[in-house]
Amino acid sequence: MIDFGVIAIVFGLIFVGELPDKTAIASLVLGARFPWRWVFAGVASAFLVHVVIAVTAGSLIRLLPHEVVEIVVAVLFLLGAVLIWREGSESEEDREREESEDEAEAAEVPATAGFAKVASLAFGTIFVAEWGDLTQILTANLAAKYHDPIDVGIGAVLALWAVGLLAMLGGSTLLKVLPMKWICRVAAVIMLCLAVWTALQVAGVV
């Protein structure tokens, strides 16, 4: 039976964690150059593959003793907080450099390229960029915590797709309203709170 509560929690966490990510920037750049539907087909496929890998890894972590799982989950939440805080500490020059690199890669494909070429470029870009990414680690973490790979997978996929679409259709406008630094700060605080909460559960305080 589908647990909409788990899906909602996972969606919120992954959505916030993915917003400041480099894959969102790549989606923005590709969506500006090529038809967004073609780009989204490749981006969505890459995200789906990574979510399947992540929830599988989370299910394997779940095979460990319960207390060990909770400790691993707490550590990974803490790691996520550190990584996303560091992401928010990047200078504007670093972000512009990343965007320029994505633009250079996209420029290698003619603007007149067909669906297969554009979708393949989008898939390859996101598939490579997402390896070992914060949201991939977080998805595996949540799959282990909730012991519910299907609902976690649904929530994660929907969140990643939503961020990809948002980046393609209005990413530049969003960044003017919500500075990347503050998006990262909010996400890092949420991850830290989850790490503390999980650690308190392990200690039997809550």
Side-chain angles (χ1 to χ4, degrees):
M1 185 175 179
I2 294 179
D3 189 332
F4 291 101
V6 170
I7 292 175
I9 291 171
V10 174
F11 179 93
L13 291 173
I14 298 299
F15 184 86
V16 172
E18 185 66 17
L19 270 179
D21 193 78
K22 56 185 177 294
T23 52
I25 296 175
S27 298
L28 188 157
V29 171
L30 291 170
R33 180 173 175 78
F34 304 107
W36 71 266
R37 295 175 185 81
W38 298 1
V39 175
F40 182 70
V43 168
S45 300
F47 278 141
L48 179 60
V49 171
H50 272 294
V51 168
V52 170
I53 294 171
V55 296
T56 301
S59 298
L60 293 176
I61 294 174
R62 189 70 191 184
L63 297 176
L64 297 171
H66 176 72
E67 186 170 309
V68 175
V69 171
E70 291 300 310
I71 292 173
V72 171
V73 167
V75 169
L76 290 179
F77 275 136
L78 181 59
L79 175 62
V82 173
L83 290 176
I84 204 164
W85 187 275
R86 288 177 59 188
E87 186 84 17
S89 300
E90 284 189 359
S91 66
E92 190 63 30
E93 290 76 14
D94 291 333
R95 297 189 188 283
E96 289 177 355
R97 186 181 66 252
E98 289 179 2
E99 187 169 343
S100 296
E101 291 172 354
D102 291 332
E103 288 174 348
E105 185 176 355
E108 295 177 2
V109 178
T112 55
F115 168 79
K117 189 74 174 178
V118 172
S120 297
L121 172 64
F123 179 92
T125 301
I126 300 303
F127 186 78
V128 172
E130 195 72 7
W131 275 109
D133 192 75
L134 168 64
T135 49
Q136 189 180 38
I137 296 172
L138 184 56
T139 300
N141 202 21
L142 292 168
K145 181 175 180 61
Y146 289 111
H147 199 193
D148 190 352
I150 301 299
D151 290 330
V152 169
I154 291 172
V157 166
L158 291 177
L160 292 170
W161 286 359
V163 172
L165 277 174
L166 186 62
M168 281 179 261
L169 301 179
S172 299
T173 302
L174 175 67
L175 291 179
K176 292 177 182 177
V177 178
L178 291 174
M180 188 68 74
K181 178 179 179 179
W182 289 107
I183 294 175
C184 291
R185 294 291 185 262
V186 171
V189 170
I190 292 173
M191 301 297 171
L192 179 60
C193 290
L194 288 170
V196 172
W197 178 260
T198 305
L200 291 175
Q201 288 181 318
V202 173
V205 177
V206 295

